[in-house]
Structure formats: structure tokens, C-alpha cells
Amino acid sequence: MTLARPATTTDWDALAQAFGTIETIRDLNQREKLSKDYYYFSPVLQGQLADLVADLVVRPTGEEEVLAVAKVCVEARVPVTVRGAGTGNYGQCIPLEGGVVLDLSKMNAVKRVEPGVAWVEPGAKLAAIDKVTRETGWELRMYPSTYRTATIGGFIGGGSGGIGSITYGQLRDRGNLNAVRVVTFEDNPRVIELRGDEVHKVNHAYGTNGIITELEIPLGPAYPWAEVIVTFDDFMTAARFGQALGDADGLIKKLISIHAWPIPSYFASLQPYLPEGKAAALLMVAEPSLELFNELVKEFGGTITYSKSAQEANKGAPLAEFTWNHTTLHARSVDPSLTYLQTLLPYDPKLERVQHFYEHFGDEVIMHLEYLRMGGNTIPAALQIVRYSTPERLAEIIRYHEDNGALIANPHTYLLEDGGMKKVDAVQVAFKAEVDPYGLLNPGKMRGWLERAEALTNGSSSEYT
């Protein structure tokens, strides 16, 4: 059922004029486009969010204009939803209550690069950042499969990890974000700089508690990344190979993506390299590690069907665009009824839970693993392809995983906490109370804020006050 947005008496044409020379968009087609992301990967969200559209889009070009927009919107008490490139999957940038979409795509400067660190604006595309930083031998530590189109602000605000996480962990891990500048949504908006652990007040908060205007991001050494596909006769051998490669500290890698058949059949342009019925590993390995990487492939009885040097990999679509949530995109292009899950499995080097879920669900929940580093260990995160039938059956599948020791970061909800670690972050809620006292930023997405508001209405005490 589609969500109903609250009625408003705002004069949107007058509000557009109040922004002065800052670009505004009132055209319905453009507003619809700039109010959406890839929410339709979920049949649940598709039914809830399809008709939600902003009343106005504003495109500032710098921090001063963001401050001006904040001032106007707070005075008018209109909701504001911050947008990067709209490559998320959970409705992060869809305005539940209409209002203003704040499109930061014009704030795209790479302002400064030093060894191991870069200062960038939130609208800078990830690939564009790498193009600049690689000139001095550095690159982004991690990025999503939407690397060529996603922005750094959107990734920090709505992402969690991706290509590179096998080495550097996830965005929430200490050291993967140095600092951010944030514009507040108070009566007199101001700029706050958050450094060190304070960045987690806005890291992965969907833009619900501040507008990021600049980021200081750590970089990693830029290696020449070769792309490789290895096929295996069965999925569990492929999964154990992925675990062994992740555990091989001396082999430098950026991507370990393992796919049970029939997922490889969905990758149309890779079909010459993906034999019928075989499981596949899609990999990025540093060229200096290839010789000994090949020894590991032999150890597990794999067959290398595709190999591109780093120079060759710069041409055409990167192999990473068949991994992480691009896997879901390719699957749905073949069968739009398919959807997916996001599953974090506990440390289990024997992969017993992976095998259990793989055998228990069979072809209904098709196994797709992305290996990452967590707490110093190699962990498989699953982005399984699900043959969707009903909401009730989807809930049963989720419940079975959770009852058997897996954490489901539910991709079928737009609520921040329920789509992540399932816990309210009291620090993020308290920060929102400080810098967005009227609750205007991306309203309806933060469960902790909704619970706080209910507690205050009922007159009960709350840990968030």
C-alpha cells in the first residue's frame, strides 16, 4: 500500500522565489526523477514509495548556499531530503512527506589531496575522486558497485561498504572516515565540523540529522587491479576458495564475489566465461599477487576463464558492476520478479551456516557472497537473490535466517535502523535533537526519532531526550 503524504498549505512557487538565485526545479518530470532511487528492487518498497514526489528541488553550488536553503526551509517548516546520485536501494532519498529535495550534485569538487587523505565535496562522484587521487598513487579504500555514478556524500550517508571491504572493512569501522562538515537545521543554521569518532553521528544516517557539505576521507595505496573470473564445479568449493583468498594476508585483493548457479546466467555480457551450471568467483587482485593467486586457484581445482590486466580493465564495464547489488540489477533485468536479501553471517571459517542456508533454501534463495573484513576476520556477507512470492513468505525467510544466527539488514524497509543493525543509535538520535529540533530532515526514516516523538507525546521519559 502506497504511503500517504501529509497535506500541506505551503506556497511552493513563493518558496522557490525565496531561494533567490539558487537553482530550483518545479517541473514534475524532473521532480519525479530526482525523488527516486532503486527502491523498486524491493516489491515491498515498490508498493509503498512509488507515488512519493518532492514539491520542489533545490541545487546549491556551495556551503553558503546550503546555509541559505536551510534558513529558508526552517523558517517555512518544510521537510528536506538530501540527495546525491540516487543510487541507493532502500528509499533513502525518497521524500516521504514531500517538501524539498536538496540535490548536492553540483557540489562536486575534489578540493585537496595529500598522501593518504582527500578533502572532497559531497556531490563528487567516486570515480572522479579516484581519477584525481590516483595521480599521486592513492585511491578510495572502498566503494559500491555504482562506483561510476554514486557520490561520496551519498555513499557515506546511505552506504555501508563494498569493493575494498575485504581489506578495509566497512564505513562504520574506525578510521574509514576522518571528518565531515555539517550544516544544521536550526532557526539559525550553522556549520559544525565532526572529527574522529564524532563522524558516526552522521555516518550512515540517511541525511536525517545534518547536511554534509565536505568530507575528509582516508585513502589507500593505488594498486594495478587485475580482474579475474574463476569457475568451480560446485558452489561450496567456490565459497571455500573465497574464504581462503580472504584469509591469505599476503595476497592483495579488492573484491571476492562468489555466485551460485544460476546467478552467472544473468550476466549477459560475461556468458563466454561462465559455463553452464558452474559456480563463479568474480575477483579483483593486485597484479603483483597474481602468480601466487594462481597457485591458490589450482589448490581448489578452479578454472580461470577470464583475466584482464589492470590496463585492460580500464576499458569497458568493470567486473565490479556484476557484484554487490549490481548482481541484483542484472538478475532483475532477466526476471523482474526477483528480489534480494542482505545477510551478515557470523565468523565461521568452515562456512557451516553458509552451507546450511544454501542447502535449506535451494533455488528459492540463491546464494551470492561478498567477502569483507570484520574484526580482523574474513566474513561472508550474502546478498542472496530471492524468488519472491508473497510478503509473508519473505518474512518467513528473514525470520529463519535470524533464528539460525544470521543478521538480516532488511532491504525491504525504508527505516534506517531496521535496514541496518536493528538497533537504535541513541547518539544519532540525540544529535538530531540538537541540530534538527523540528525534525525536518528526511522525516519518517529514523525509527529512534519516531519513538522519541511518541515518548514525548505520551509524557514518558526517553533515553533520547
Side-chain angles (χ1 to χ4, degrees), residues 1-39:
M1 182 174 61
T2 302
L3 296 179
R5 53 166 288 179
T8 177
T9 58
T10 303
D11 184 336
W12 297 106
D13 290 324
L15 190 74
Q17 291 180 1
F19 293 125
T21 59
I22 303 171
E23 181 185 357
T24 59
I25 297 171
R26 290 283 284 136
D27 175 74
L28 178 59
N29 289 333
Q30 290 191 70
R31 284 191 287 120
E32 288 179 339
K33 180 180 178 181
L34 295 170
S35 297
K36 294 294 187 285
D37 60 12
Y38 288 81
Y39 72 99

Side-chain angles (χ1 to χ4, degrees), residues 114-419:
E114 293 181 2
V117 64
W119 287 260
V120 298
E121 289 186 323
K125 291 184 178 180
L126 302 174
I129 296 171
D130 263 352
K131 186 175 181 180
V132 175
T133 60
R134 281 185 179 141
E135 293 176 359
T136 58
W138 298 90
E139 65 181 11
L140 293 171
R141 290 184 173 185
M142 68 188 77
Y143 52 78
S145 60
T146 50
Y147 169 71
R148 293 197 286 180
T149 54
T151 65
I152 185 65
F155 184 40
I156 295 299
S160 58
I163 294 93
S165 286
I166 184 57
T167 299
Y168 295 105
Q170 296 182 286
L171 288 174
R172 67 171 173 262
D173 291 330
R174 179 177 285 157
N176 281 332
L177 177 61
N178 291 351
V180 290
R181 287 173 65 87
V182 176
V183 166
T184 70
F185 238 60
E186 304 162 280
D187 289 315
N188 292 300
R190 57 200 166 106
V191 178
I192 298 175
E193 183 173 290
L194 303 175
R195 301 197 63 85
D197 286 347
E198 283 201 329
V199 299
H200 297 300
K201 291 178 178 179
V202 296
N203 190 354
H204 195 75
Y206 290 10
T208 56
N209 60 0
I211 302 168
I212 297 173
T213 57
E214 187 176 316
L215 307 97
E216 180 184 321
I217 53 174
L219 305 171
Y223 286 95
W225 297 108
E227 296 183 346
V228 185
I229 295 177
V230 185
T231 61
F232 298 87
D233 289 339
D234 66 277
F235 169 74
M236 284 310 302
T237 300
R240 292 187 180 100
F241 166 79
Q243 183 74 33
L245 177 57
D247 286 339
D249 293 337
L251 298 180
I252 302 167
K253 55 272 178 182
K254 194 164 189 174
L255 173 68
I256 305 175
S257 183
I258 309 296
H259 304 262
W261 187 267
I263 292 176
S265 70
Y266 301 136
F267 303 153
S269 62
L270 297 178
Q271 286 311 290
Y273 316 103
L274 298 168
E276 179 83 17
K278 304 284 188 180
L282 278 58
L283 311 160
M284 291 174 67
V285 179
E287 287 185 350
S289 292
L290 283 176
E291 182 179 357
L292 290 171
F293 162 80
N294 290 338
E295 296 298 320
L296 186 67
V297 173
K298 290 178 186 176
E299 183 180 324
F300 280 83
T303 302
I304 295 175
T305 61
Y306 173 102
S307 181
K308 274 189 174 183
S309 68
Q311 187 173 4
E312 292 170 332
N314 285 328
K315 303 169 186 175
L319 199 60
E321 288 187 1
F322 296 88
T323 70
W324 289 83
N325 242 337
H326 257 74
T327 300
T328 311
L329 179 68
H330 288 285
R332 285 179 46 80
S333 69
V334 175
D335 182 353
S337 71
L338 297 173
T339 187
Y340 73 116
L341 288 179
Q342 296 180 147
T343 308
L344 186 62
L345 297 154
Y347 178 56
D348 173 23
K350 293 183 179 180
L351 302 180
E352 292 175 350
R353 279 189 177 86
V354 169
Q355 184 165 0
H356 174 77
F357 292 132
Y358 171 66
E359 294 174 351
H360 177 81
F361 287 106
D363 199 47
E364 184 184 16
V365 183
I366 312 167
M367 194 61 81
H368 162 203
L369 301 178
E370 298 288 348
Y371 283 90
L372 52 84
R373 197 161 183 81
M374 180 174 288
N377 297 315
T378 300
I379 303 287
L383 284 84
Q384 306 99 309
I385 300 297
V386 178
R387 299 192 187 279
Y388 180 75
S389 54
T390 66
E392 293 76 18
R393 177 54 183 161
L394 183 61
E396 288 176 1
I397 292 170
I398 291 172
R399 188 162 53 251
Y400 185 89
H401 280 86
E402 293 177 335
D403 288 346
N404 285 274
L407 171 72
I408 297 287
N410 188 0
H412 305 284
T413 176
Y414 53 78
L415 288 172
L416 169 65
E417 298 89 344
D418 296 351

Side-chain angles (χ1 to χ4, degrees), residues 40-58:
Y40 54 83
F41 279 15
S42 164
V44 177
L45 294 180
Q46 193 174 62
Q48 294 174 339
L49 305 180
D51 297 333
L52 299 175
V53 180
D55 298 281
L56 182 68
V57 176
V58 183

